Amino acid sequence: MPITRVSDAQRFDFLTDHANELAVSISDLNQQIATGKRLTRPDQDPLGSAQVVRAQSSLAALGQYDESTRFGQDVLGAQHDALGQAIDETMARAKELAADSSILTPDARSAASHEVDSLLQSLTAIGNSELAGRRLFGGLALDGPAPFADPLAPGYTAATAYSGSAAQVSVKIGSGSSERVQISTSGDQIFTSSLQALTDLKAAFDNDTPRAPSLDAVESAIGDLESERARVDVRASQLKQRGDQVAALTVTETAARSHVQDADLVAVISRLSQAQTALQALLAAGAQLSQTNLTDLLQI
Amino acid sequence: MAISPILDSAARALLANETVLSVVGENIANVDTPDYSRQRAELQADTVIAQVNGVAVGTGVHVQTVDQIVDPLLARRQLGAETDASQQSALSDQLGGLAGVLNDLDQPSLAGALGDFFDAADALGRNPQGLAERATLLARAGALVSEFHRRSAGLADLQRTIDDRYVAVASEVNDQLTRIAQLNGAIVAAEATGQSANASRDQRTAALNQLAQTVGISTTEDAHGAVTVSLAGGATLVAGTDVLHTVAIRTNGVGLDGGALHEAQLADPNGVVVRLPQAFATGELGGLANARDVAVVTASANLDRLVDGTGVDPGLRDAVNAVQQAGIDLDGNSTAAVPLFQGTGAAGIALSGAITVRTLAAAKTTEPGDNANALALADLRSTALPALGGTTFSGYVATEESRVGEDATQAGDVATASSLKLKQIQDQRAGISGVNLNEELTNLLRYQHAFQAASRVLTVGNEVLDELLKAV
């Protein structure tokens, strides 16, 4: 139905209604500028809200994967260093002593025996290494007793020296229950052959037995340690790669969430300026409106 | 020559124009009065009875009626539009409130509390024997419980607020019915004696519109000017000056807070109360009831489902407890009898009394450092549960957030459309019945001039009479 007649109340109602709409719009735009958020309530964009909630959950999970990869790399890095020390210092010296055993004098063999004792203690100390109170080769047990027994203690045998945790600890690096990376290996699986080789080497020096078996054992033990260090390096590399992936995913997920939730300040400020101009124009029109009746023209 | 017809005619014109000017003044006075319908004086030439020099001339003018300028069809359409707009507006407002209660875009939020809980499980996985990590997990579990309680209480508060509003709105209906019946009486009495009842009609129209906002009604006006008001179901509320049925507010059902909810029912003059749910399913009462009994209850049930699952498939409580109770605590003991959560529903979930930092199961074996159970707990973050529609906890929260937001958005759109429809009708009505000052001022000038002209006629008649009297 075409409008053929407009009452005075209608004219002012129109003015009030549109001024209210613009005021609400300006308030909304101001809120977006103040918070930097386009979305603050689910009824503003239901699907966008769901995306934001999911993105927040994903970002929280990614944050934990990042923490876990860093923690795992710290642990594996410490293990790498400890194994390097065992291989390059302790067992390398043991290999030299084993290689020289056939040419050593009795006094030198006695001194070598003492040195092997020292190496045994050194290797035991490496096996008992801690990182922030966690036993690196004892299932990462916290504040637990030393997993390897003192080699100078009576009744010591390499085979029974380890009494630490048998736990194989993993870190979670993804959403699936299989997305784990093992970051600890039971110490007995790593060091028993080395401890046994050193114990045998000491016995060889003490008992003046031929060199060959002891050297073979030491070399085999070094091989075990090197294998473990390689495994540690592979795991560390895996964690490093995953950490890089997580960092990239975090950036992507953050950008996606921002795209949905955050306000485009340039566009918002532009719209605010438009709304303010419209409100000013409306109020000016309102001022004119009050003058467009016969009361003023006829000066009644 | 007869002089008196001139004077009589002028006098009648003066009286008629004075009346018209009064009507114009009334219109100007009510230019901003809500629900006022402008009036128009209908002038009619008086019967030709005077004889002047053997010629029949008129005897002047009189005001036949003072009519309201209204469109009865528009008024009837407005009643329906008032009902629809009020119903949709009430529903939209309350769904907006519901979206606020379930808002996960702000803190604190349920999604945030769930994320924090699983973050703590991950942290426990990195240090399963750490007392700080254990304490943090328990604190986060407590915060999650608090968030369930807060959200559940928010829903209960919202439902109670809606019910309070429902009672307040329903309580006004009987006063409105009495008012309409009284106005019926005033209109019939005035118009029976030929008096104008325009002001009473405006008041009755306003009262009917107000009643229509509360509940859907239909009206019929009889020949004497009284309206009969009926509910959508056909029950007559007002007939003439009688209120035949009143609204009784009765308890009906129990709210989320354990208190009684209320329902509008129909009471006859003998005090017999009957339930007519469909009769009160429209208007603001209908919108409020829909929000209170459907939207809020559904949201509450869905929140409970997150905690309880379906009874067959586990929800959060049972899924977490299944992991917790399959593990080994810090002292190497089985936790088969030590759940993490207990209680039912979002309002009833609580931390188990047996759970402590030491009885939290981070391991699956007694080996120190074992973190397998903590990792299994952390895995729940991304585990899809059948009870939640095959989605994860956060996915379920996001879906629920989206559902409630969509409902609120749709209700807002419908409310806007209903309001626009009402506004259009109100504009049409205002276009017909509203006062336009320019028009009234023009009429003011017109009838002022007519009054001045009649005065001039009276003056001329008087002068003619004076001339005649001089000759005597």
Side-chain angles (χ1 to χ4, degrees), chain B residues 200-222:
Chain B
S200 296
R201 281 182 173 273
D202 283 342
Q203 290 172 23
R204 188 177 66 186
T205 300
L208 286 170
N209 285 337
Q210 199 177 0
L211 179 61
Q213 289 170 8
T214 305
V215 63
I217 55 171
S218 60
T219 61
T220 53
E221 182 171 339
D222 65 20

Side-chain angles (χ1 to χ4, degrees), chain A residues 5 8 41 142 165-166 172, chain B residues 96 129 367-368 379 437 439:
Chain A
R5 186 176 178 281
D8 277 65
R41 290 171 53 87
L142 177 68
S165 171
K172 179 176 164 60
Chain B
Q129 293 171 288
E367 295 295 336
D379 282 342
L437 276 183
E439 189 177 83

Side-chain angles (χ1 to χ4, degrees), chain B residues 150-163:
Chain B
R150 189 186 72 82
R151 190 162 283 212
S152 176
L155 290 174
D157 286 346
L158 178 63
Q159 190 187 46
R160 180 56 52 198
T161 302
I162 297 172
D163 189 65

Side-chain angles (χ1 to χ4, degrees), chain A residues 1 3 5-14 17 39-54 56-57 60-61 63-65 67-68 71 134 138-143 164-172 174-178 180 261 292-295 298 300, chain B residues 31-32 38 95-97 99-100 102-106 111 115 118-119 122-123 125-131 367-372 375-376 378-379 381-382 394-395 397-399 401-402 405-406 408-409 423 426-428 430-442 444-445:
Chain A
M1 181 186 289
I3 296 172
R5 186 176 178 281
V6 177
S7 69
D8 277 65
Q10 271 180 289
R11 294 195 303 173
F12 287 98
D13 284 350
F14 177 85
D17 290 348
L39 266 182
T40 53
R41 290 171 53 87
D43 45 345
Q44 292 170 327
D45 180 356
L47 286 178
S49 300
Q51 282 179 297
V52 170
V53 171
R54 288 197 180 95
Q56 284 170 337
S57 176
Q64 291 307 311
Y65 305 153
E67 290 276 340
S68 294
F71 171 69
R134 315 280 296 273
L140 293 178
L142 177 68
D143 297 335
S165 171
Q168 292 189 334
V169 179
S170 300
V171 288
K172 179 176 164 60
S175 59
S177 58
S178 62
R180 308 265 202 271
Q261 187 177 25
T292 56
N293 68 49
L294 288 175
T295 314
L298 299 176
I300 294 175
Chain B
V31 63
D32 288 324
R38 69 189 167 105
L95 290 185
L102 302 182
N103 187 1
D104 267 291
L105 297 177
D106 210 351
F118 289 116
D119 284 354
D122 269 305
R126 290 190 289 274
N127 191 9
Q129 293 171 288
L131 291 178
E367 295 295 336
D370 180 8
N371 66 347
L375 295 187
D379 282 342
R381 185 207 298 263
S382 46
S394 62
V397 171
T399 303
E401 171 124 340
S402 174
E406 189 60 40
T409 303
K423 186 80 172 65
Q426 286 172 333
D427 280 346
Q428 288 174 13
I432 293 170
S433 303
V435 175
N436 181 304
L437 276 183
N438 289 340
E439 189 177 83
E440 299 303 329
L441 289 169
T442 304
L444 193 66
L445 293 174

Side-chain angles (χ1 to χ4, degrees), chain A residues 254-278:
Chain A
T254 303
R257 184 189 64 173
S258 175
H259 180 69
V260 175
Q261 187 177 25
D262 293 346
D264 179 349
L265 285 180
V266 173
V268 171
I269 290 170
S270 172
R271 277 161 45 209
L272 178 65
S273 178
Q274 281 181 324
Q276 285 172 331
T277 304

Side-chain angles (χ1 to χ4, degrees), chain B residues 70-94:
Chain B
V70 294
D71 181 340
L73 287 177
L74 266 184
R76 201 166 300 157
R77 281 178 60 202
Q78 184 172 344
L79 282 181
E82 294 276 10
T83 302
D84 193 38
S86 186
Q87 177 179 351
Q88 302 305 338
S89 174
L91 181 61
S92 172
D93 287 349
Q94 301 308 331

Side-chain angles (χ1 to χ4, degrees), chain B residues 45-76:
Chain B
D46 281 329
T47 312
V48 178
I49 56 172
Q51 294 286 324
V52 178
N53 295 329
V55 178
V57 294
T59 55
V61 65
H62 71 277
V63 174
Q64 187 180 28
T65 57
V66 177
D67 295 332
Q68 280 186 309
I69 311 300
V70 294
D71 181 340
L73 287 177
L74 266 184
R76 201 166 300 157

Side-chain angles (χ1 to χ4, degrees), chain A residues 190-214:
Chain A
I190 304 169
F191 293 106
T192 298
S193 62
S194 298
L195 292 171
Q196 187 64 56
L198 291 179
T199 306
D200 292 346
L201 183 59
K202 175 179 163 54
F205 284 130
D206 289 345
N207 302 329
D208 195 20
T209 52
R211 58 163 281 273
S214 296

